Amino acid sequence: MSGVVQFADLLDVILLELPGCPSVVAEKALARAVRDWYRDTYAWRQELPPLTTEPGVIAYLVTPPQCTMILAMDGLVTESGKPFNDNDWVYEPSREIVFEDEPESGVKLTPKAVLSPSYGSQGVPCDHAPRWIDDWSHGALWYLRMQVGTPWYHPEEAEHQRQLFRLSILNNRNAQNTGYRTGDLRVKPVRFI
């Protein structure tokens, strides 16, 4: 990932809420919340390096950016920007795009992937953090407040944070479904003449 903000740099809100919580514990909770949030929202969509079809080849390896994992494949796009026929290929979790039939040779296709930070990733893209840090913090606080035997254990507050975290996931899904538009989405009737 280029332009990464480290999880350690995003801990202010969490550590203010939980005095005495070691930053390494808070960082692990935040990383878990971020991975869970991306898994449930599919919010991180990115084009991967293009591939060019070759004669006799039906399976192509796709490589996500460093420290990320592919959750799903959002589509293949041709050089002209048009979607490639979705019924002709599948994505195998082994990081391969597999075509049902051998595609025409020499076609350049750009895979569009749904990504998440991998386990061991130390951060998220810089442009994601300001947009979603509050949502991720709710998830981290939920996980931390559920740690039995710690001074910050508080099941009622954990439930509150869980609800805020789940609500943020639903809100993000809704925003994606509307194309992140905030205007009036109602249909305006048109008079037939």
Side-chain angles (χ1 to χ4, degrees):
M1 287 186 286
S2 62
V4 174
V5 62
Q6 302 293 311
F7 291 131
D9 297 331
L10 299 172
L11 298 178
D12 293 347
V13 172
I14 297 165
L15 295 177
L16 282 173
E17 289 268 336
L18 306 175
C21 177
S23 59
V24 70
V25 173
E27 189 176 339
K28 288 183 184 293
L30 180 61
R32 177 181 172 198
V34 167
R35 285 192 308 272
D36 290 349
W37 192 86
Y38 279 118
R39 182 198 63 222
D40 291 347
T41 62
Y42 274 31
W44 185 357
R45 295 166 189 258
Q46 182 174 319
E47 290 185 355
L48 301 181
L51 59 93
T52 303
T53 57
E54 300 173 12
V57 179
I58 62 166
Y60 295 84
L61 184 68
V62 288
T63 305
Q66 185 177 11
C67 298
T68 66
M69 60 184 176
I70 298 173
L71 297 174
M73 198 56 64
D74 197 25
L76 290 174
V77 180
T78 63
E79 278 187 288
S80 63
K82 295 183 180 178
F84 188 76
N85 189 350
D86 287 343
N87 297 327
D88 291 344
W89 61 275
V90 295
Y91 173 69
E92 297 287 338
S94 59
R95 293 187 10 227
E96 285 186 325
I97 292 175
V98 180
F99 292 91
E100 185 177 308
D101 297 315
E102 183 181 328
E104 180 183 334
S105 181
V107 177
K108 187 175 179 181
L109 299 171
T110 302
K112 292 176 119 182
V114 178
L115 301 175
S116 174
S118 60
Y119 294 94
S121 173
Q122 299 298 308
V124 292
C126 287
D127 59 333
H128 291 202
R131 189 173 192 181
W132 295 312
I133 183 58
D134 291 337
D135 300 337
W136 302 334
S137 293
H138 291 306
L141 287 168
W142 167 32
Y143 298 144
L144 290 165
R145 290 286 192 183
M146 288 302 296
Q147 291 181 346
V148 179
T150 61
W152 52 85
Y153 174 70
H154 195 290
E156 292 83 14
E157 179 60 23
E159 178 57 22
H160 175 70
Q161 294 296 336
R162 184 194 69 79
Q163 289 175 4
L164 292 172
F165 185 59
R166 300 309 300 168
L167 181 62
S168 78
I169 290 169
L170 291 174
N171 287 340
N172 189 274
R173 285 183 191 162
N174 288 337
Q176 284 182 57
N177 290 338
T178 61
Y180 294 98
R181 291 185 306 268
T182 58
D184 188 2
L185 298 178
R186 290 178 284 171
V187 175
K188 295 189 179 7
V190 177
R191 187 174 184 180
F192 289 106
I193 300 177

